[in-house]
């Protein structure tokens, strides 16, 4: 009797891309034919949300299947403990070849110090926990200063093959940065802001790079992934490949033809600040900063922009997305040439969204708007031609680990907090009726006295968001007010709803208490 092969997995992930910025999710302008083709052959999840809408914590939730409050990478600048198991570790232990090509961001890749954190005077022992074992320098800038290829100690969170990209824009580091310096004798000139190509855009962080298309990080990741896939021709060892693009992240600098591929006039600011009936204090403060000419606390944090700046950011973001789509086409062709396409589950996802003009905001921050928390998730399994075109049930980043292990036929480890989505792609009932979203800030922002601590509960009908140590909160009816322009928090008519959802939120928070490791004895 023939033994069925274990499935392969090709995981394509972008950075800071909201769900509705793909053709298959209904965007009227952005061209993404290759990603749309994956969706056509699979299931598009329409209500998939992140565990926490910032890069590092959510990526750690993806690989561990656990919430940031459990796995410990609470906000950017922390590191995922080397003690943490990941579903990639499980696959590797089950005989899979594992590879990560592109952005990992499970460890810090800058040497910048935290901003907005108040000093705290400690005694002879600084922290509640002893230092973590390990050096945590695998993504640090200093590790890649040499011309010699830096060798990451493997397994790296379960990955046996690593081709690292750190940072964003045209000046990424890691193995890509080493390659760029080695193959471009004029790399200093190409990275010199004085050599920026001429343009008339006014959007903050819009930069017209002189780096050629074929040398930009997106193209390098596409090329390296295609080569890795072709190298597997004739090799029946099952594989998991994590392919991670740093775009469409700011700075807004798509190279070559992608800069001018879209016209700002093609885009609409459809949800301006004026549309919100009762904006919360954070929204008001961000707008006030713009009116006063104040800058954002960090380049990564949300800011208010005028309509023309928003349209420019949209056009440049669209260029970055279409460039990624072209590389996805290259990767899918290589998968065909490898001989493994008929046994490879292809997944497309993003680590979090972007406000991208909602209420005149750009980038990301503590406001749990749908553009920030809702991301694309596409599951395309060639062995399941009957899978539904779409799934409108709630799903979360923490569910990814359980889903992949379920499809691989491998049991998870104790302590995973997600649920397998395989029943959903088989047309069964939805996996969950509510989900939790966390947020922890690394410093105080927007006049808050302390770093934000936020919890959001989503149900099919409601979004409830509670902020630590502030009197106000948010309550939106997702069915009658999908754009979330009327906050019902203080409406006495919805006091009972607010109380009931608050109780449910507490129960969801209780459910993600860390249960690992299990006790060895009664007492």
């Amino acid at each position: 009797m023939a033994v069925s092969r274990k499935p392969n997995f090709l995981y394509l992930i972008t950075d800071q891309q909201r769900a509705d910025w793909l053709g298959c999710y209904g965007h009227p302008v952005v061209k993404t034919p290759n990603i749309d083709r994956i969706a056509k052959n699979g299931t598009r999840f329409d209500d998939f949300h992140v565990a926490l809408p910032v890069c590092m914590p959510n990526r750690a939730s993806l690989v561990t299947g656990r919430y940031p409050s459990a796995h410990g990478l609470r906000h950017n600048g922390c590191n995922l403990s080397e003690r943490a198991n990941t579903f990639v570790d499980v696959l590797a232990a089950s005989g899979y070849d594992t590879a990560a090509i592109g952005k990992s961001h499970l460890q810090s890749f800058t040497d910048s110090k935290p901003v907005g954190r108040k000093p705290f005077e400690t005694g002879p022992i600084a922290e509640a926990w002893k230092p973590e074992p390990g050096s945590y320098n695998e993504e640090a800038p200093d590790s890649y200063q040499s011309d010699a290829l830096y060798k990451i100690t493997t397994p790296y969170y379960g990955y046996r093959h690593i081709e690292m990209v750190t940072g964003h824009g045209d000046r990424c580091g890691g193995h890509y940065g080493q390659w760029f310096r080695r193959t471009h004798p004029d790399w200093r000139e190409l990275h010199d802001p004085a050599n920026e190509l001429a343009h008339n855009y006014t959007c903050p962080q819009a930069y017209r790079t002189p780096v050629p298309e074929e040398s930009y990080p997106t193209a390098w990741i596409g090329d390296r992934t295609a080569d890795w896939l072709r190298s597997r021709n004739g090799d029946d060892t099952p594989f998991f490949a994590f392919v991670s693009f740093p775009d469409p992240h700011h700075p807004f600098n798509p190279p070559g033809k992608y800069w001018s591929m879209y016209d700002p006039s093609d885009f609409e600011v459809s949800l301006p600040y004026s549309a919100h009936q009762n904006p919360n204090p954070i929204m008001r403060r961000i707008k006030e900063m713009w009116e006063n000419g104040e800058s954002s606390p960090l380049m990564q944090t949300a800011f208010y922009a005028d309509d023309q700046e928003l349209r420019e950011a949209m056009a440049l973001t669209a260029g970055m997305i279409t460039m990624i789509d072209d590389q996805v086409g290259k990767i899918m062709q290589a998968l065909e040439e490898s001989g493994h396409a008929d046994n490879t589950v292809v997944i497309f996802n993003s680590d979090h969204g972007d406000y991208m003009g909602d209420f005149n905001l750009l980038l990301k921050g503590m406001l749990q708007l749908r553009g920030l928390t809702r991301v694309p998730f596409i599951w395309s399994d060639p062995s399941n031609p009957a899978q539904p075109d779409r799934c409108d049930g709630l799903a979360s980043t923490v569910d990814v680990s359980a889903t992949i292990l379920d499809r691989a036929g491998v049991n998870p480890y104790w302590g995973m907090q997600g649920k397998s989505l395989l029943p959903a792609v088989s047309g069964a009932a939805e996996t969950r009726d509510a989900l939790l979203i966390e947020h922890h800030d690394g410093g105080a922002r927007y006049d808050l006295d302390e770093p934000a601590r936020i919890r959001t509960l989503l149900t099919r009908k409601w979004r409830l968001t509670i902020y630590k140590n502030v009197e106000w909160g948010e309550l939106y009816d997702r069915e009658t007010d999908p754009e979330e322009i009327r906050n019902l928090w203080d409406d006495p008519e919805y006091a009972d709803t607010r109380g009931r959802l608050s109780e449910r939120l507490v129960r969801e928070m209780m459910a993600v208490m860390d249960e690992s490791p299990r006790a060895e004895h009664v007492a």
Side-chain angles (χ1 to χ4, degrees):
M1 182 176 66
V3 178
S4 61
R5 293 179 295 164
K6 290 183 178 180
N8 305 308
F9 298 91
L10 174 61
Y11 203 111
L12 305 168
I13 185 168
T14 57
D15 197 326
Q16 200 158 303
Q17 181 174 1
R18 49 190 286 160
D20 53 6
W21 271 65
L22 289 170
C24 55
Y25 276 86
H27 199 282
V29 180
V30 179
K31 300 177 181 66
T32 53
N34 295 297
I35 298 169
D36 296 350
R37 195 171 299 115
I38 296 172
K40 184 178 180 180
N41 296 322
T43 300
R44 183 192 75 214
F45 282 73
D46 287 340
D47 213 2
F48 186 100
H49 294 262
V50 296
L52 190 154
V54 178
C55 296
M56 295 184 72
N58 196 63
R59 287 170 178 264
S61 288
L62 192 160
V63 297
T64 62
R66 289 152 58 82
Y67 275 90
S69 56
H71 62 59
L73 205 172
R74 303 172 303 280
H75 51 74
N76 278 2
C78 301
N79 297 306
L80 181 60
S81 172
E82 291 184 2
R83 295 178 58 243
N85 281 314
T86 71
F87 81 90
V88 187
D89 284 311
V90 179
L91 290 176
S94 302
Y96 274 75
D97 282 346
T98 55
I101 302 173
K103 178 182 173 182
S104 165
H105 217 186
L106 297 174
Q107 295 183 7
S108 298
F109 58 41
T110 78
D111 51 14
S112 302
K113 298 300 181 183
V115 175
R117 190 173 69 181
K118 293 181 179 180
F120 180 81
E121 185 175 348
T122 63
I125 295 177
E127 294 282 354
W129 292 93
K130 293 178 174 62
E132 287 283 349
S135 64
Y136 297 95
N137 290 322
E138 302 290 25
E139 302 187 37
D142 289 349
S143 297
Y144 299 92
Q145 293 303 310
S146 169
D147 291 336
L149 183 71
Y150 178 69
K151 293 185 178 180
I152 292 177
T153 301
T154 57
Y156 186 63
Y157 300 108
Y159 296 110
R160 306 300 175 97
H161 176 89
I162 304 282
E163 298 189 52
M164 182 69 72
V165 178
T166 61
H168 298 100
D170 63 340
R171 300 170 212 174
C172 288
H175 292 136
Y176 162 80
Q178 292 185 308
W179 168 86
F180 189 84
R181 296 194 300 271
R182 186 174 66 251
T183 55
H184 294 71
D186 60 342
W187 68 269
R188 290 181 179 84
E189 289 76 17
L190 290 171
H191 282 175
D192 188 342
N195 295 322
E196 177 184 4
L197 303 181
H199 67 86
N200 60 358
Y201 279 24
T202 60
C203 174
Q205 301 192 47
Y207 175 85
R208 191 165 192 181
T209 177
V211 172
E213 293 171 25
E214 64 273 14
S215 301
Y216 190 75
T218 297
W220 185 85
I221 292 168
D223 289 339
R224 299 306 303 137
T225 303
D227 288 349
W228 188 84
L229 288 170
R230 291 191 189 98
S231 74
R232 304 199 62 78
N233 196 319
D235 187 344
D236 288 333
T237 307
F239 66 81
F240 174 83
F242 184 79
V243 181
S244 178
F245 297 98
D247 276 354
H249 195 283
H250 55 100
F252 305 106
N253 66 349
K257 66 176 179 288
Y258 297 102
W259 173 277
S260 54
M261 182 171 284
Y262 295 92
D263 192 307
S265 64
D266 293 336
F267 296 86
E268 180 184 0
V269 181
S270 58
L271 193 58
Y273 182 88
S274 59
H276 205 292
Q277 297 179 17
N278 49 346
N280 67 43
I282 301 300
M283 296 176 69
R284 296 199 300 268
R285 175 58 182 142
I286 294 174
K287 184 172 187 290
E288 181 184 73
M289 291 173 66
W290 174 75
E291 293 170 338
N292 296 338
E294 299 177 56
S295 59
S296 296
L298 294 168
M299 283 188 66
Q300 293 78 21
T301 54
F303 61 88
Y304 188 102
D306 65 37
D307 287 5
Q308 179 59 26
E309 292 171 340
L310 292 174
R311 292 188 182 98
E312 291 171 359
M314 291 175 181
L316 297 177
T317 296
M320 289 188 276
I321 292 172
T322 295
M323 184 177 191
I324 291 168
D325 186 79
D326 287 344
Q327 297 305 311
V328 169
K330 178 191 298 181
I331 291 168
M332 294 303 290
Q333 178 62 36
L335 179 62
E336 288 285 347
E337 295 170 5
S338 75
H340 295 294
D342 65 341
N343 191 42
T344 299
V345 178
V346 180
I347 304 160
F348 185 89
N349 188 210
S350 187
D351 64 353
H352 58 82
D354 190 302
Y355 297 132
M356 198 48 62
D358 287 354
F359 308 116
N360 282 89
L361 299 176
L362 275 176
L363 309 189
K364 57 184 177 284
M366 65 182 70
L367 297 169
Q368 307 286 279
L369 305 181
R370 60 175 185 165
L372 189 64
T373 69
R374 178 177 173 254
V375 293
F377 186 79
I378 300 167
W379 176 278
S380 181
D381 187 343
S383 73
N384 184 15
Q387 59 193 306
D389 294 337
R390 56 186 295 271
C391 173
D392 61 2
L394 287 166
S396 170
T397 298
V398 295
D399 299 329
V400 170
S401 295
T403 307
I404 291 175
L405 292 181
D406 191 6
R407 179 65 182 87
V410 181
N411 289 333
Y413 46 74
W414 179 257
M416 275 194 179
Q417 296 169 330
K419 302 178 181 180
S420 173
L421 301 174
L422 279 195
V425 297
S426 300
E430 60 188 64
T431 303
R432 58 171 78 241
D433 63 352
L435 62 81
L436 172 69
I437 301 172
E438 299 184 345
H439 184 80
H440 319 108
D441 230 336
R445 326 275 183 220
Y446 307 119
D447 292 346
L448 291 181
D449 293 331
E450 57 186 349
R453 300 291 181 261
I454 304 168
R455 294 294 184 270
T456 288
L457 177 79
L458 281 185
T459 70
R460 293 292 295 275
K461 182 172 175 58
W462 301 102
R463 170 168 73 92
L464 175 82
T465 300
I466 296 180
Y467 298 72
K468 178 187 175 186
N469 291 340
V470 298
E471 295 299 320
W472 55 270
E474 294 178 282
L475 175 63
Y476 292 97
D477 187 329
R478 301 177 72 213
E479 292 181 351
T480 63
D481 180 20
E483 293 182 328
E484 298 185 348
I485 62 174
R486 182 188 173 207
N487 184 3
L488 304 171
W489 177 269
D490 288 323
D491 191 326
E493 183 179 342
Y494 293 91
D496 287 346
T497 300
R498 175 178 147 187
R500 176 172 51 81
L501 291 171
S502 297
E503 180 179 336
R504 178 63 190 272
L505 174 59
V506 171
R507 295 181 188 278
E508 291 294 321
M509 292 170 61
M510 292 168 66
V512 299
M513 183 191 82
D514 194 355
E515 301 279 1
S516 177
R518 285 177 286 183
E520 297 291 332
H521 306 282
V522 173

